[in-house]
Amino acid sequence: MSYFVAIEGIDGSGKGTQTAALHEHFQQSGLRTSSITFPRYGETLIGRQIGRFLDGQFGELQHLHPIPISMMYAAERFESRELIFEKLNGSELLISDRYVGSNFAHQGARLKGTERAEFLEWIQKLEYEVFGVPRPNLVIVLDLPAEVSAERVAMKNARHYTEQVTDLYESDCDYLLGVREVYLELCEQ
């Protein structure tokens, strides 16, 4: 089984860029590497629904509780579990652009205090124990101020999962501040 690295951070922090750069660097160094990106919008049954969610088709973010949303993201990784193990078994290094940490940060940002702590513990049990997705050996969090994130997101190319300039998460700078806060808390732990 290979070494598993997950790259996390708020929108526009460079996760995709760094995933591709690391993948290319290690391949050129002779290491058998593989990569995966979550969500897998057009590739999985649940990924397509996540695209619809991020396009705002299920309602506004503040009207949707984090538990069903986190279950959708976790279920998409469960749907991709065989592929993750296949990539782990077929390479020496697997790099993931987003993983379970994104579920912690994006859904946890909507809760505070004890409720957030209990929720994060619940996600951990759901993803790693109930759904049995593998834990990464290393999680790299790319830190970026939310204001810079908004500028970078505005420069992104059109995405196939939304007709909007920004998706449901990217459009709310205060929300991204909360996501960054959770990522930094997780780094401390």
Side-chain angles (χ1 to χ4, degrees), residues 65-67 108 110-122:
H65 194 277
I67 286 181
R110 300 176 51 221
L111 303 169
K112 298 289 180 208
T114 304
E115 188 179 17
R116 178 187 289 171
E118 290 171 355
F119 177 76
L120 295 177
E121 186 176 317
W122 178 81

Side-chain angles (χ1 to χ4, degrees), residues 34 71 93 100 129 178 182 186:
S34 208
M71 290 175 72
L93 174 66
V100 175
E129 294 174 24
V182 175
L186 292 170

Side-chain angles (χ1 to χ4, degrees), residues 99-174:
Y99 198 58
V100 175
S102 289
N103 213 0
F104 289 145
H106 279 274
Q107 304 317 314
R110 300 176 51 221
L111 303 169
K112 298 289 180 208
T114 304
E115 188 179 17
R116 178 187 289 171
E118 290 171 355
F119 177 76
L120 295 177
E121 186 176 317
W122 178 81
I123 288 177
Q124 184 164 295
K125 286 180 181 176
L126 176 69
E127 296 253 19
Y128 296 125
E129 294 174 24
V130 175
F131 287 158
V133 299
R135 290 180 187 268
N137 300 95
L138 175 67
V139 177
I140 299 170
V141 176
L142 304 176
D143 185 26
L144 181 73
E147 301 78 27
V148 178
S149 166
E151 292 170 12
R152 287 186 178 181
V153 166
M155 295 186 300
K156 281 186 175 183
N157 294 329
R159 274 75 48 88
H160 63 279
Y161 65 88
T162 182
E163 298 294 320
Q164 314 298 318
V165 174
T166 57
D167 69 28
L168 201 60
Y169 289 151
E170 298 165 336
S171 62
D172 187 340
C173 195
D174 287 336

Side-chain angles (χ1 to χ4, degrees), residues 42-90:
E43 301 172 61
T44 63
L45 181 71
I46 298 169
R48 286 187 283 283
Q49 297 308 311
I50 290 172
R52 291 183 62 213
F53 159 70
L54 291 173
D55 192 41
Q57 294 179 30
F58 299 155
E60 295 179 31
L61 189 59
Q62 65 268 24
H63 299 299
L64 303 170
H65 194 277
I67 286 181
I69 302 306
S70 65
M71 290 175 72
M72 184 169 54
Y73 282 98
E76 202 245 350
R77 272 182 287 283
F78 177 73
E79 183 180 2
S80 302
R81 194 173 83 152
E82 278 187 40
L83 177 63
I84 297 167
F85 280 112
E86 192 176 291
K87 286 179 176 280
L88 282 168
N89 290 326

